Amino acid sequence: MSTTNYIGQATSRVDGPAKVSGAATYSAEVHLPNLAYGYVVSSPIARGKITKIHADEVLALPGVIQVFSHENVPSVAWLDKKHQDQVAPGGSPFRALQSPEIQFSQQPVAMVMAESFELARYAASLLRIEYEQEAHETNLETQRAKGYEPGKGKTGYQPPPPPRGNPDKAWEQAAHRMEAEYVHGTQHHNPMELFSTTVDWHGEGKITAYDKTQGVFNVKNYLVGVFGLNKDDVRVVNHFVGGGFGSGLRPQYSVYLAVLAALELRRPVRLTLTRAQMFSFGHRPQPLQYVKLGTNPDGSLAALQHHVLHETSHFEEYTENIVTWSGMLYQCDNVKLGYQVAPLDVFTPLDMRAPGAASGSIALEIAMDEMAYEAGIDPLELRLRSYAERDQNQDKPFSSKKLRDCYHQGAAKFGWEKRTMAPGSMREGNMLVGWGVGGGVWDATQKKSAAKASITADGKLTVLSGSGENGAGTYTIMTQIAAETLGLPLEAVTYQLGDTDQPEAPLQGGSWTAASVGTAVQSVCQDLAGKILKLAQKQADSPLQDAKFEDVEFLNGQIRLRADHSQSVVIRDVLQSSGEAKIEADGSTTPNMPKQSQYSLHSHNVVFVEVKVDEDLGTVHVTRVVNAIAAGRILNQKTARSQVLGSVVWGIGMALMEETVIDHKFGRYMNHNFAEYHVPVNADIRDIDVIFVDEEDDIVNPLGVKGIGEVGMLGVTAAVANAIYHATGKRVRDLPITIDKLL
Amino acid sequence: MNSFTFHRATGVDDAVRETTRHTGAAYIGGGTNLIDLMKENVMRPSYLVSVAKLPLAAIEALPDGGLRLGAMATNADTAWHEDVKSRYPLLNQAILAGASPQLRNAATNGGNLMQRTRCLYFYDLATPCNKREPGTGCSAIGGFNRIHAIFGASDQCIATHPSDMCVALAALAPTVRVSGPDGERSIAFDDFHRLPGDQPEKDNNLRPGELIISLDLPAKGFSKNFSYLKLRDRQSYAFALISVAAGLELDGTTITDARLALGGVAHKPWRDQEAEQLLIGQPATVETFARVAAQVVSTAVGQGSNDFKIELARRAVVRALKQAAEGSQQATDVFQNSNP
């Protein structure tokens, strides 16, 4: 018999049919009459200033409406505070077209508006702009001495904890030790969907912006602040996102320019960036990481030091948590963590999937592998000998931590016990076989979220919460939670998101959407259930007459007594006979801070990787991956698995090919297209096993969910690098590990 | 992208006439490269003459035992043609190593010869490039040149030709039939593309207005002992860092004829006839291949970030020749790529 217990099931995406049939509308696909089209012109230089813009030549073309530049756009809010969105780092956010100054290559310097996209693009290609070039600096290597400890400007950034124990002495006296520097390439998020905004203009200062973003409220508040608009006059909508990975956390210059144009031209506007321009804003910075580890004679960690330097821009101080995780993933009493940034002539970096942790775990987990070989201990065993039962950074117990189960179940599935320790000791013909391990830790966060639920007499439930949907499965899991809470079939539930007219939800990032919005959805649905129960009890001869809310359950379209299932009513009958057309409940949920603050709230994982390396040619194939994750309750086995599969692909790409290359002569990212910025293709990916270990946790939030958007990619990159070492004996510390590094 | 006039040619003569008559005219076949270049404003033809519908798509046997590949046959139709598969499997393998199924379905054989370099600086108008704008300088020299040439480069240009198909063609040595204002002529494949010298803006030796009509393969196809080995940064949809097309004829273990061409290494598909001569008469052993490979790279010059290509090319030549001698396919692919 079918049941309305949906949480945890492998439910297919409820928005899948709309996406594959083209019915899902993305921000560049909103059809409006009288649209004007924008096309951004980008700076060819990295530093200097604009001396002349030959706009007249372009304005003469029939159909060209305007050429916006610093010469003619109205000024916007003066205070930096007005430009700082929810996740802005400290500093002065970039303001496009407000000044002739060039601060980074590909900076937007003009926007051509025309009656068609094609015309705007053509006109933009003809626009001549003269520059006065100044010397730029984009090479972090030469700026090492400029590194400094950043302030605590950015939401979510935690400066590393102070040193504990005596890390220098402990390292000097360690039985075995290692030290090394690690670096990986700059990455750009590059979701498939280009940044795009369609703005509807409703009259003086009134707009609706259909914007590619991971947070409609963040964009709304930004627009209100920057353009001095009335809060009630700005609506931001985004029902579908074609990939975000963090690129849509901050409002991009595309939404700013599109709105600016709509307000100036007093008509609807569409602006879409090009693929090359997708390399013109935030990116995962390239960190220079230094790690020193030492072990006791028994193989447990005696000392751990991890220091990082990465770039920020000259106008903002970007920070991310790279080293903090190293102080809590393993038990170690002598720890020193350092974190510095140095400014370069680039755009401000931007959070990218598992920001900080993805980078930090590469260095720490390759270092752990090096340590294992120094100490002559199996790399998995080394990790078990320093298993952290407590978060030493915060000196708190974990709310739950089933990483040991991940180690055991992952190793068993992978067949780790058959591994031979010596590099190059496992081979098939002329293919060297390598097995590597790596892992990581990520925050389990709950944020304040609001939701609203309403049910009509025909038993149809609608739930609203203005979160984002990056493709993670938000529509689906919220539908599951709502349906299960009210005992309704999935088909009777519609979940809507991505609109500032809806109750406010947080940005979709940090792996917190399931925990935050899920809790709010569950809560308002419970409130609604309480109201329905009251209606049921008003009915004459109701079998639930004296039941308390805790005494009943909502299942299969019925409310029934838990103690006596024969005592039940049909929910739809209750609604129909109540005479009410619609019943509603709304509210918001916040984390239980008194309870949560006593614990360290984190998800963990471990990844096992097999590579095969051609011993003559250096070609690498990742043939098997097992990723075992402890992330609390899994709401949907199918969408959760898909998220982790995507994470593993990210990790493989980061290990083997993904890198934005900057030519310092021009201060410019040169491989700004999908032909030359390599991410894995299907042919690069083979077997990926995902294990979610059982992990109950009633502290993180009422649902017990920790989120899996980021944790799944941790450890993958290091495990690939470690597997390559095991196969070849070559320790590559400069990622991605391309063919030239293995010759 | 610039605005342009589009003319669908009614015949070869019409195509040649229209292209000769209009300054800034260009032929367009599948458009898989030209449209990209136009979107990036690297090329701005004002008059496009479409030759896609011309009756040049046939693949047919030639009286001398060879095979004629129509210039407008798609790369996919060519790769999967029965005669290509059975008699010129090296060509089949090279075509399938390139691009993606979607691109191969649209791209034509003529267009494949005409595709332009993937040099990052050629593609980016913000940087000087002698090939795009003669006299402005070469940004790749001293720049990010990991994908650039190790053979035959000049101080004006170190770009490479990006084709896979053309590397196999260089080994198979067809003639290229072209039609132009002065009528038809044939060009040996090795003479079709050129080295950059002091005119890097010229990719090939076509005269103004000339249109490729067909590629005429000779009878000999090296169908028994061949290999196309492509080394790249990912398993599909990436240009070759190094590719090697090898064809051998063996009498027992003695090499009686040999072809060897490299891709991703020069401004043109790089056939090495000296190496071929060194192979002929020698035993098909790893020692022979190693000696020849050392000879192949002896003239190579690195540019910094592509220095690794010299050693990689040496190893790839050995592997490709070994695979050709063994009659095995590209053995580095542990995933057992299955083709439709």
Side-chain angles (χ1 to χ4, degrees), chain A residues 160 289 306-308 320-327 337-339 356 360:
Chain A
Q289 308 196 55
H306 187 174
H307 184 274
V308 171
E320 57 183 29
N321 302 321
I322 296 183
V323 294
T324 311
W325 320 96
S326 297
L337 306 172
Y339 181 71

Side-chain angles (χ1 to χ4, degrees), chain A residues 37-41 58 64 66-68 110-114 120 123-124 127:
Chain A
Y37 295 81
Y39 195 91
V40 172
V41 179
V58 168
V64 172
Q66 179 60 292
V67 176
F68 286 115
M111 174 171 55
V112 179
M113 304 302 304
L127 184 63

Side-chain angles (χ1 to χ4, degrees), chain A residues 547-559:
Chain A
K548 294 198 184 73
F549 189 68
E550 300 76 46
D551 299 334
V552 302
E553 59 187 3
F554 287 68
L555 193 73
N556 299 334
Q558 297 181 332
I559 316 172

Side-chain angles (χ1 to χ4, degrees), chain A residues 38-306:
Chain A
Y39 195 91
V40 172
V41 179
S42 305
S43 165
I45 66 168
R47 194 182 168 109
K49 63 169 179 277
I50 302 166
T51 53
K52 183 145 182 65
I53 298 182
H54 297 268
D56 293 351
E57 300 166 10
V58 168
L59 285 166
L61 283 174
V64 172
I65 301 162
Q66 179 60 292
V67 176
F68 286 115
S69 70
H70 71 278
E71 291 177 349
N72 61 3
V73 303
S75 56
V76 290
W78 186 74
L79 288 173
D80 285 337
K81 207 176 77 179
K82 297 274 186 189
H83 291 259
Q84 282 169 337
D85 66 279
Q86 275 178 39
V87 287
S92 180
F94 174 65
R95 308 164 182 210
L97 313 190
Q98 289 290 320
S99 141
E101 193 196 345
I102 303 297
Q103 296 168 293
F104 56 94
S105 187
Q106 279 219 68
Q107 175 177 322
V109 289
M111 174 171 55
V112 179
M113 304 302 304
E115 297 293 345
S116 75
F117 169 75
E118 289 76 11
L119 183 59
R121 179 170 62 174
Y122 173 52
S125 77
L126 300 180
L127 184 63
R128 287 194 300 129
I129 300 178
E130 294 174 39
Y131 299 90
E132 195 176 288
Q133 203 163 343
E134 291 167 26
H136 58 258
E137 187 48 73
T138 54
N139 190 350
L140 188 63
E141 279 289 347
T142 65
Q143 302 298 299
R144 283 179 189 255
K146 302 253 175 81
Y148 67 93
E149 283 179 23
K152 197 179 169 307
K154 179 163 155 273
T155 306
Y157 169 65
Q158 292 290 336
R164 60 178 180 253
N166 194 335
D168 289 325
K169 193 171 155 210
W171 187 78
E172 292 295 339
Q173 295 177 349
H176 301 281
R177 55 195 182 176
M178 62 72 59
E179 62 181 316
E181 185 172 86
Y182 305 89
V183 63
H184 66 73
T186 300
Q187 294 183 304
H188 281 78
H189 307 70
N190 270 306
M192 283 296 283
E193 184 194 17
L194 300 167
F195 268 86
S196 192
T197 310
T198 306
V199 184
D200 200 359
W201 186 77
H202 307 296
E204 213 51 61
K206 258 186 106 146
I207 54 161
T208 300
Y210 301 87
D211 181 44
K212 176 193 173 76
T213 174
Q214 292 173 233
V216 286
F217 289 94
N218 193 28
V219 172
K220 173 178 170 157
N221 293 336
Y222 167 82
L223 293 174
V224 165
V226 168
F227 294 104
L229 301 172
N230 245 319
K231 237 178 156 75
D232 294 339
D233 291 347
V234 179
R235 182 179 167 206
V236 179
V237 178
N238 184 1
H239 295 137
F240 295 98
V241 180
F245 315 118
S247 62
L249 288 173
R250 299 188 67 187
Q252 293 305 349
Y253 65 74
S254 44
V255 67
Y256 162 93
L257 288 174
V259 170
L260 184 148
L263 294 172
E264 283 299 289
L265 301 178
R266 305 164 64 82
R267 63 185 280 194
V269 163
R270 175 172 299 155
L271 177 65
T272 302
L273 299 186
T274 65
R275 180 56 62 187
Q277 287 164 348
M278 295 291 281
F279 292 80
S280 67
F281 49 86
H283 55 275
R284 192 197 297 282
Q286 177 185 50
L288 304 173
Q289 308 196 55
Y290 204 84
V291 179
K292 292 168 89 166
L293 299 177
T295 53
N296 297 308
D298 68 354
S300 61
L301 281 176
L304 186 157
Q305 302 188 28
H306 187 174

